[in-house]
mmCIF file of all heavy atoms in Angstrom:
data_model
loop_
_atom_site.group_PDB
_atom_site.id
_atom_site.type_symbol
_atom_site.label_atom_id
_atom_site.label_comp_id
_atom_site.label_asym_id
_atom_site.label_seq_id
_atom_site.Cartn_x
_atom_site.Cartn_y
_atom_site.Cartn_z
ATOM 1 N N SER A 1 11.237 -8.150 4.719
ATOM 2 C CA SER A 1 12.290 -9.168 4.612
ATOM 3 C C SER A 1 13.488 -8.841 5.494
ATOM 4 O O SER A 1 14.327 -9.707 5.752
ATOM 5 C CB SER A 1 12.744 -9.293 3.152
ATOM 6 O OG SER A 1 13.349 -8.090 2.707
ATOM 7 N N HIS A 2 13.571 -7.613 5.993
ATOM 8 C CA HIS A 2 14.672 -7.204 6.864
ATOM 9 C C HIS A 2 14.268 -7.209 8.345
ATOM 10 O O HIS A 2 15.091 -6.860 9.194
ATOM 11 C CB HIS A 2 15.144 -5.790 6.486
ATOM 12 C CG HIS A 2 15.739 -5.703 5.115
ATOM 13 N ND1 HIS A 2 17.085 -5.879 4.868
ATOM 14 C CD2 HIS A 2 15.164 -5.459 3.905
ATOM 15 C CE1 HIS A 2 17.314 -5.734 3.573
ATOM 16 N NE2 HIS A 2 16.166 -5.482 2.968
ATOM 17 N N ILE A 3 13.034 -7.574 8.662
ATOM 18 C CA ILE A 3 12.522 -7.492 10.032
ATOM 19 C C ILE A 3 12.269 -8.896 10.563
ATOM 20 O O ILE A 3 11.670 -9.733 9.871
ATOM 21 C CB ILE A 3 11.222 -6.653 10.083
ATOM 22 C CG1 ILE A 3 11.480 -5.236 9.546
ATOM 23 C CG2 ILE A 3 10.679 -6.584 11.502
ATOM 24 C CD1 ILE A 3 10.230 -4.402 9.380
ATOM 25 N N VAL A 4 12.694 -9.152 11.801
ATOM 26 C CA VAL A 4 12.518 -10.470 12.416
ATOM 27 C C VAL A 4 11.205 -10.552 13.181
ATOM 28 O O VAL A 4 10.445 -11.520 13.024
ATOM 29 C CB VAL A 4 13.704 -10.782 13.359
ATOM 30 C CG1 VAL A 4 13.460 -12.086 14.115
ATOM 31 C CG2 VAL A 4 15.006 -10.862 12.565
ATOM 32 N N ASP A 5 10.908 -9.566 14.012
ATOM 33 C CA ASP A 5 9.730 -9.598 14.888
ATOM 34 C C ASP A 5 8.431 -9.515 14.072
ATOM 35 O O ASP A 5 8.243 -8.599 13.269
ATOM 36 C CB ASP A 5 9.799 -8.441 15.885
ATOM 37 C CG ASP A 5 8.782 -8.580 17.007
ATOM 38 O OD1 ASP A 5 7.595 -8.310 16.756
ATOM 39 O OD2 ASP A 5 9.173 -8.951 18.127
ATOM 40 N N GLU A 6 7.528 -10.477 14.303
ATOM 41 C CA GLU A 6 6.277 -10.535 13.541
ATOM 42 C C GLU A 6 5.352 -9.363 13.856
ATOM 43 O O GLU A 6 4.608 -8.902 12.994
ATOM 44 C CB GLU A 6 5.558 -11.856 13.826
ATOM 45 C CG GLU A 6 6.266 -13.087 13.297
ATOM 46 C CD GLU A 6 6.391 -13.071 11.769
ATOM 47 O OE1 GLU A 6 5.468 -12.539 11.114
ATOM 48 O OE2 GLU A 6 7.400 -13.569 11.246
ATOM 49 N N LYS A 7 5.373 -8.869 15.085
ATOM 50 C CA LYS A 7 4.501 -7.752 15.452
ATOM 51 C C LYS A 7 4.929 -6.463 14.738
ATOM 52 O O LYS A 7 4.085 -5.673 14.315
ATOM 53 C CB LYS A 7 4.510 -7.546 16.971
ATOM 54 C CG LYS A 7 3.812 -8.648 17.753
ATOM 55 C CD LYS A 7 3.805 -8.313 19.237
ATOM 56 C CE LYS A 7 3.089 -9.389 20.043
ATOM 57 N NZ LYS A 7 3.099 -9.070 21.500
ATOM 58 N N ILE A 8 6.243 -6.264 14.624
ATOM 59 C CA ILE A 8 6.728 -5.087 13.897
ATOM 60 C C ILE A 8 6.381 -5.214 12.416
ATOM 61 O O ILE A 8 5.999 -4.233 11.767
ATOM 62 C CB ILE A 8 8.243 -4.899 14.102
ATOM 63 C CG1 ILE A 8 8.560 -4.668 15.585
ATOM 64 C CG2 ILE A 8 8.761 -3.729 13.267
ATOM 65 C CD1 ILE A 8 10.035 -4.485 15.882
ATOM 66 N N LYS A 9 6.496 -6.435 11.882
ATOM 67 C CA LYS A 9 6.091 -6.661 10.488
ATOM 68 C C LYS A 9 4.629 -6.283 10.282
ATOM 69 O O LYS A 9 4.273 -5.635 9.288
ATOM 70 C CB LYS A 9 6.296 -8.127 10.106
ATOM 71 C CG LYS A 9 7.725 -8.545 9.865
ATOM 72 C CD LYS A 9 7.763 -9.994 9.401
ATOM 73 C CE LYS A 9 9.183 -10.455 9.150
ATOM 74 N NZ LYS A 9 9.242 -11.863 8.677
ATOM 75 N N LYS A 10 3.777 -6.703 11.218
ATOM 76 C CA LYS A 10 2.350 -6.415 11.095
ATOM 77 C C LYS A 10 2.082 -4.911 11.162
ATOM 78 O O LYS A 10 1.259 -4.378 10.404
ATOM 79 C CB LYS A 10 1.563 -7.122 12.195
ATOM 80 C CG LYS A 10 0.044 -6.919 12.109
ATOM 81 C CD LYS A 10 -0.677 -7.640 13.231
ATOM 82 C CE LYS A 10 -2.194 -7.444 13.104
ATOM 83 N NZ LYS A 10 -2.594 -6.027 13.140
ATOM 84 N N LEU A 11 2.794 -4.222 12.051
ATOM 85 C CA LEU A 11 2.619 -2.770 12.164
ATOM 86 C C LEU A 11 3.035 -2.069 10.873
ATOM 87 O O LEU A 11 2.330 -1.180 10.389
ATOM 88 C CB LEU A 11 3.439 -2.235 13.342
ATOM 89 C CG LEU A 11 3.407 -0.712 13.545
ATOM 90 C CD1 LEU A 11 1.986 -0.232 13.806
ATOM 91 C CD2 LEU A 11 4.332 -0.302 14.681
ATOM 92 N N VAL A 12 4.168 -2.490 10.304
ATOM 93 C CA VAL A 12 4.623 -1.907 9.039
ATOM 94 C C VAL A 12 3.600 -2.166 7.934
ATOM 95 O O VAL A 12 3.267 -1.264 7.151
ATOM 96 C CB VAL A 12 6.003 -2.477 8.650
ATOM 97 C CG1 VAL A 12 6.372 -2.081 7.219
ATOM 98 C CG2 VAL A 12 7.079 -1.988 9.618
ATOM 99 N N ALA A 13 3.074 -3.387 7.896
ATOM 100 C CA ALA A 13 2.063 -3.722 6.877
ATOM 101 C C ALA A 13 0.794 -2.899 7.067
ATOM 102 O O ALA A 13 0.180 -2.448 6.086
ATOM 103 C CB ALA A 13 1.753 -5.214 6.935
ATOM 104 N N ASP A 14 0.384 -2.689 8.323
ATOM 105 C CA ASP A 14 -0.814 -1.879 8.592
ATOM 106 C C ASP A 14 -0.613 -0.431 8.148
ATOM 107 O O ASP A 14 -1.546 0.205 7.616
ATOM 108 C CB ASP A 14 -1.156 -1.919 10.081
ATOM 109 C CG ASP A 14 -1.713 -3.268 10.519
ATOM 110 O OD1 ASP A 14 -2.144 -4.032 9.634
ATOM 111 O OD2 ASP A 14 -1.710 -3.541 11.734
ATOM 112 N N ILE A 15 0.591 0.109 8.368
ATOM 113 C CA ILE A 15 0.874 1.486 7.951
ATOM 114 C C ILE A 15 0.833 1.594 6.424
ATOM 115 O O ILE A 15 0.261 2.538 5.863
ATOM 116 C CB ILE A 15 2.238 1.941 8.494
ATOM 117 C CG1 ILE A 15 2.176 2.093 10.023
ATOM 118 C CG2 ILE A 15 2.671 3.262 7.858
ATOM 119 C CD1 ILE A 15 3.509 2.369 10.673
ATOM 120 N N ILE A 16 1.430 0.616 5.744
ATOM 121 C CA ILE A 16 1.442 0.643 4.273
ATOM 122 C C ILE A 16 0.031 0.493 3.714
ATOM 123 O O ILE A 16 -0.368 1.220 2.789
ATOM 124 C CB ILE A 16 2.369 -0.461 3.730
ATOM 125 C CG1 ILE A 16 3.819 -0.163 4.107
ATOM 126 C CG2 ILE A 16 2.220 -0.587 2.211
ATOM 127 C CD1 ILE A 16 4.793 -1.284 3.778
ATOM 128 N N ASP A 17 -0.746 -0.448 4.271
ATOM 129 C CA ASP A 17 -2.103 -0.697 3.772
ATOM 130 C C ASP A 17 -3.123 0.324 4.267
ATOM 131 O O ASP A 17 -4.294 0.261 3.883
ATOM 132 C CB ASP A 17 -2.568 -2.100 4.188
ATOM 133 C CG ASP A 17 -1.820 -3.193 3.434
ATOM 134 O OD1 ASP A 17 -1.382 -2.922 2.298
ATOM 135 O OD2 ASP A 17 -1.667 -4.302 3.991
ATOM 136 N N GLY A 18 -2.677 1.260 5.103
ATOM 137 C CA GLY A 18 -3.608 2.255 5.634
ATOM 138 C C GLY A 18 -3.951 3.366 4.655
ATOM 139 O O GLY A 18 -4.795 4.207 4.948
ATOM 140 N N TYR A 19 -3.276 3.367 3.497
ATOM 141 C CA TYR A 19 -3.549 4.410 2.496
ATOM 142 C C TYR A 19 -3.518 3.796 1.106
ATOM 143 O O TYR A 19 -2.655 2.961 0.795
ATOM 144 C CB TYR A 19 -2.517 5.530 2.582
ATOM 145 C CG TYR A 19 -2.630 6.541 1.467
ATOM 146 C CD1 TYR A 19 -3.578 7.555 1.512
ATOM 147 C CD2 TYR A 19 -1.799 6.457 0.339
ATOM 148 C CE1 TYR A 19 -3.695 8.470 0.480
ATOM 149 C CE2 TYR A 19 -1.915 7.368 -0.691
ATOM 150 C CZ TYR A 19 -2.865 8.376 -0.616
ATOM 151 O OH TYR A 19 -2.979 9.271 -1.643
ATOM 152 N N HIS A 20 -4.468 4.187 0.266
ATOM 153 C CA HIS A 20 -4.529 3.733 -1.123
ATOM 154 C C HIS A 20 -4.759 4.946 -2.034
ATOM 155 O O HIS A 20 -5.641 5.768 -1.758
ATOM 156 C CB HIS A 20 -5.665 2.724 -1.331
ATOM 157 C CG HIS A 20 -5.495 1.449 -0.565
ATOM 158 N ND1 HIS A 20 -4.948 0.304 -1.116
ATOM 159 C CD2 HIS A 20 -5.787 1.139 0.722
ATOM 160 C CE1 HIS A 20 -4.925 -0.654 -0.211
ATOM 161 N NE2 HIS A 20 -5.429 -0.171 0.915
ATOM 162 N N THR A 21 -3.986 5.032 -3.104
ATOM 163 C CA THR A 21 -4.200 6.094 -4.084
ATOM 164 C C THR A 21 -5.553 5.917 -4.765
ATOM 165 O O THR A 21 -5.954 4.792 -5.087
ATOM 166 C CB THR A 21 -3.087 6.077 -5.141
ATOM 167 O OG1 THR A 21 -1.821 6.180 -4.483
ATOM 168 C CG2 THR A 21 -3.234 7.238 -6.116
ATOM 169 N N ARG A 22 -6.240 7.018 -4.995
ATOM 170 C CA ARG A 22 -7.570 6.970 -5.597
ATOM 171 C C ARG A 22 -7.523 6.368 -7.008
ATOM 172 O O ARG A 22 -6.614 6.670 -7.786
ATOM 173 C CB ARG A 22 -8.164 8.374 -5.668
ATOM 174 C CG ARG A 22 -8.463 9.000 -4.325
ATOM 175 C CD ARG A 22 -9.006 10.407 -4.469
ATOM 176 N NE ARG A 22 -8.029 11.343 -4.992
ATOM 177 C CZ ARG A 22 -8.025 11.829 -6.218
ATOM 178 N NH1 ARG A 22 -8.953 11.454 -7.087
ATOM 179 N NH2 ARG A 22 -7.099 12.694 -6.604
ATOM 180 N N PRO A 23 -8.507 5.523 -7.360
ATOM 181 C CA PRO A 23 -8.537 4.934 -8.714
ATOM 182 C C PRO A 23 -8.535 5.980 -9.822
ATOM 183 O O PRO A 23 -7.887 5.792 -10.856
ATOM 184 C CB PRO A 23 -9.843 4.125 -8.707
ATOM 185 C CG PRO A 23 -10.106 3.818 -7.273
ATOM 186 C CD PRO A 23 -9.592 4.993 -6.510
ATOM 187 N N ALA A 24 -9.266 7.089 -9.623
ATOM 188 C CA ALA A 24 -9.335 8.120 -10.658
ATOM 189 C C ALA A 24 -7.953 8.707 -10.943
ATOM 190 O O ALA A 24 -7.628 9.021 -12.098
ATOM 191 C CB ALA A 24 -10.301 9.227 -10.219
ATOM 192 N N PHE A 25 -7.134 8.863 -9.909
ATOM 193 C CA PHE A 25 -5.785 9.408 -10.087
ATOM 194 C C PHE A 25 -4.926 8.438 -10.902
ATOM 195 O O PHE A 25 -4.218 8.853 -11.822
ATOM 196 C CB PHE A 25 -5.148 9.660 -8.720
ATOM 197 C CG PHE A 25 -3.785 10.280 -8.774
ATOM 198 C CD1 PHE A 25 -3.627 11.652 -8.761
ATOM 199 C CD2 PHE A 25 -2.643 9.495 -8.849
ATOM 200 C CE1 PHE A 25 -2.369 12.232 -8.819
ATOM 201 C CE2 PHE A 25 -1.379 10.056 -8.913
ATOM 202 C CZ PHE A 25 -1.247 11.430 -8.894
ATOM 203 N N LEU A 26 -4.989 7.146 -10.584
ATOM 204 C CA LEU A 26 -4.196 6.154 -11.308
ATOM 205 C C LEU A 26 -4.670 6.008 -12.749
ATOM 206 O O LEU A 26 -3.857 5.842 -13.670
ATOM 207 C CB LEU A 26 -4.269 4.807 -10.581
ATOM 208 C CG LEU A 26 -3.697 4.789 -9.153
ATOM 209 C CD1 LEU A 26 -3.947 3.440 -8.501
ATOM 210 C CD2 LEU A 26 -2.201 5.100 -9.159
ATOM 211 N N ASP A 27 -5.978 6.080 -12.962
ATOM 212 C CA ASP A 27 -6.517 6.011 -14.330
ATOM 213 C C ASP A 27 -6.023 7.188 -15.172
ATOM 214 O O ASP A 27 -5.760 7.043 -16.370
ATOM 215 C CB ASP A 27 -8.050 6.004 -14.294
ATOM 216 C CG ASP A 27 -8.610 4.688 -13.767
ATOM 217 O OD1 ASP A 27 -7.910 3.667 -13.877
ATOM 218 O OD2 ASP A 27 -9.741 4.691 -13.241
ATOM 219 N N LYS A 28 -5.916 8.341 -14.554
ATOM 220 C CA LYS A 28 -5.499 9.550 -15.277
ATOM 221 C C LYS A 28 -4.113 9.390 -15.883
ATOM 222 O O LYS A 28 -3.843 9.876 -16.991
ATOM 223 C CB LYS A 28 -5.525 10.743 -14.311
ATOM 224 C CG LYS A 28 -5.100 12.058 -14.937
ATOM 225 C CD LYS A 28 -5.154 13.189 -13.920
ATOM 226 C CE LYS A 28 -4.679 14.511 -14.533
ATOM 227 N NZ LYS A 28 -4.711 15.607 -13.513
ATOM 228 N N TYR A 29 -3.219 8.692 -15.182
ATOM 229 C CA TYR A 29 -1.844 8.541 -15.651
ATOM 230 C C TYR A 29 -1.560 7.145 -16.220
ATOM 231 O O TYR A 29 -0.401 6.813 -16.492
ATOM 232 C CB TYR A 29 -0.866 8.848 -14.514
ATOM 233 C CG TYR A 29 -0.934 10.285 -14.066
ATOM 234 C CD1 TYR A 29 -1.681 10.667 -12.958
ATOM 235 C CD2 TYR A 29 -0.272 11.280 -14.783
ATOM 236 C CE1 TYR A 29 -1.753 11.994 -12.556
ATOM 237 C CE2 TYR A 29 -0.340 12.602 -14.394
ATOM 238 C CZ TYR A 29 -1.078 12.951 -13.283
ATOM 239 O OH TYR A 29 -1.153 14.275 -12.895
ATOM 240 N N GLY A 30 -2.609 6.337 -16.371
ATOM 241 C CA GLY A 30 -2.445 5.024 -16.985
ATOM 242 C C GLY A 30 -1.658 4.039 -16.147
ATOM 243 O O GLY A 30 -0.956 3.174 -16.690
ATOM 244 N N ILE A 31 -1.746 4.154 -14.824
ATOM 245 C CA ILE A 31 -1.029 3.246 -13.922
ATOM 246 C C ILE A 31 -1.948 2.084 -13.559
ATOM 247 O O ILE A 31 -3.046 2.302 -13.042
ATOM 248 C CB ILE A 31 -0.579 3.992 -12.650
ATOM 249 C CG1 ILE A 31 0.343 5.165 -13.022
ATOM 250 C CG2 ILE A 31 0.122 3.048 -11.684
ATOM 251 C CD1 ILE A 31 0.671 6.081 -11.860
ATOM 252 N N PRO A 32 -1.550 0.844 -13.832
ATOM 253 C CA PRO A 32 -2.422 -0.303 -13.518
ATOM 254 C C PRO A 32 -2.553 -0.520 -12.013
ATOM 255 O O PRO A 32 -1.646 -0.207 -11.238
ATOM 256 C CB PRO A 32 -1.706 -1.483 -14.185
ATOM 257 C CG PRO A 32 -0.267 -1.074 -14.234
ATOM 258 C CD PRO A 32 -0.272 0.423 -14.425
ATOM 259 N N TYR A 33 -3.687 -1.081 -11.597
ATOM 260 C CA TYR A 33 -3.925 -1.353 -10.183
ATOM 261 C C TYR A 33 -4.973 -2.454 -10.062
ATOM 262 O O TYR A 33 -5.673 -2.776 -11.024
ATOM 263 C CB TYR A 33 -4.396 -0.086 -9.453
ATOM 264 C CG TYR A 33 -5.691 0.499 -9.987
ATOM 265 C CD1 TYR A 33 -6.925 0.141 -9.435
ATOM 266 C CD2 TYR A 33 -5.694 1.406 -11.049
ATOM 267 C CE1 TYR A 33 -8.109 0.668 -9.929
ATOM 268 C CE2 TYR A 33 -6.869 1.943 -11.545
ATOM 269 C CZ TYR A 33 -8.071 1.568 -10.978
ATOM 270 O OH TYR A 33 -9.247 2.081 -11.458
ATOM 271 N N ARG A 34 -5.080 -3.035 -8.872
ATOM 272 C CA ARG A 34 -6.090 -4.063 -8.636
ATOM 273 C C ARG A 34 -7.441 -3.388 -8.402
ATOM 274 O O ARG A 34 -7.528 -2.370 -7.707
ATOM 275 C CB ARG A 34 -5.708 -4.922 -7.433
ATOM 276 C CG ARG A 34 -5.845 -4.235 -6.101
ATOM 277 C CD ARG A 34 -5.395 -5.105 -4.948
ATOM 278 N NE ARG A 34 -5.721 -4.474 -3.669
ATOM 279 C CZ ARG A 34 -5.146 -4.796 -2.533
ATOM 280 N NH1 ARG A 34 -4.210 -5.738 -2.504
ATOM 281 N NH2 ARG A 34 -5.496 -4.192 -1.406
ATOM 282 N N HIS A 35 -8.480 -3.944 -8.961
ATOM 283 C CA HIS A 35 -9.812 -3.347 -8.873
ATOM 284 C C HIS A 35 -10.561 -3.951 -7.679
ATOM 285 O O HIS A 35 -11.148 -5.026 -7.758
ATOM 286 C CB HIS A 35 -10.586 -3.562 -10.173
ATOM 287 C CG HIS A 35 -9.980 -2.849 -11.340
ATOM 288 N ND1 HIS A 35 -10.341 -1.574 -11.704
ATOM 289 C CD2 HIS A 35 -9.001 -3.221 -12.209
ATOM 290 C CE1 HIS A 35 -9.634 -1.194 -12.755
ATOM 291 N NE2 HIS A 35 -8.813 -2.174 -13.084
#
């Protein structure tokens, strides 16, 4: 929401979506997530 350029937005989104916490780790601490 603070970035104007669409290409920079896409790069930021790719960096964020490039890693996901393991389901087993989230289950261990009772943190909800999309399956």
Side-chain angles (χ1 to χ4, degrees):
S1 64
H2 295 269
I3 301 172
V4 174
D5 192 283
E6 292 298 327
K7 290 183 179 179
I8 298 179
K9 285 184 180 181
K10 182 180 181 301
L11 177 61
V12 170
D14 288 342
I15 291 173
I16 294 172
D17 290 332
Y19 172 80
H20 296 264
T21 304
R22 294 178 293 106
F25 183 90
L26 298 175
D27 289 335
K28 180 180 178 181
Y29 295 98
I31 301 171
Y33 60 93
R34 72 183 188 199
H35 295 269

